[in-house]
Amino acid sequence: MTKYCYKLAMILLMSAGFAVAQGSNMPKQNPSPNNPDAMPVQPSPAQPLPAQPQKDPAASADVQTKIQSALQADPLLSSVSVNVTDSSVTLSGTVATQAAKTSAGDIAKANAGNRKVTNSIKVNAGAGAEATPPKQ
């Protein structure tokens, strides 16, 4: 019988200790006009803060350089301009075909990271006439 009482006492003590430990992780109440004694909520180290978008001009410049270099490698896309901000990539200019416009958009998306890509390139069949071989 004493073994049974000893086990029961240990279980109760462990349960009480667990409950106390769990209660210490509970967030504190926000102060309000109805409860002026409540403490303000402080973020605990175990709870990470929500991610904020990083504003790094160097990263935007790197992305712009990557995209512009990739576009310059293709003669059909060399007239495309790139503007990169912290949240978006905008392509502008004129190309000869819809396929070239799509290709420029694909290059931008591949290098844009989490930025939104806006493809404002115009298609003008006369724009790439010098790159098209003459008909024979």
Side-chain angles (χ1 to χ4, degrees):
M1 181 74 175
T2 57
K3 260 186 176 179
Y4 178 74
C5 289
Y6 179 74
K7 285 182 182 179
L8 183 59
M10 288 300 293
I11 291 172
L12 289 174
L13 285 172
M14 291 177 69
S15 298
F18 182 73
V20 169
Q22 290 296 322
S24 67
N25 288 335
M26 303 268 306
K28 296 178 177 114
Q29 295 178 350
N30 283 327
S32 67
N34 298 337
N35 189 1
D37 295 330
M39 298 294 293
V41 174
Q42 297 293 326
S44 70
Q47 297 173 339
L49 296 174
Q52 298 292 324
Q54 298 295 322
K55 296 190 179 195
D56 185 1
S60 294
D62 290 345
V63 170
Q64 182 157 349
T65 301
K66 279 184 188 179
I67 295 172
Q68 195 71 51
S69 296
L71 293 173
Q72 294 298 320
D74 185 339
L76 296 175
L77 304 177
S78 61
S79 64
V80 174
S81 297
V82 181
N83 183 27
V84 177
T85 66
D86 291 333
S87 60
S88 68
V89 174
T90 303
L91 302 175
S92 59
T94 305
V95 295
T97 65
Q98 182 64 40
K101 177 179 178 175
T102 302
S103 178
D106 291 344
I107 290 169
K109 288 175 188 170
N111 294 289
N114 292 332
R115 294 170 176 86
K116 176 185 173 198
V117 175
T118 303
N119 192 340
S120 300
I121 297 173
K122 306 283 187 231
V123 177
N124 180 359
E130 65 279 352
T132 307
K135 292 182 182 177
Q136 294 182 4

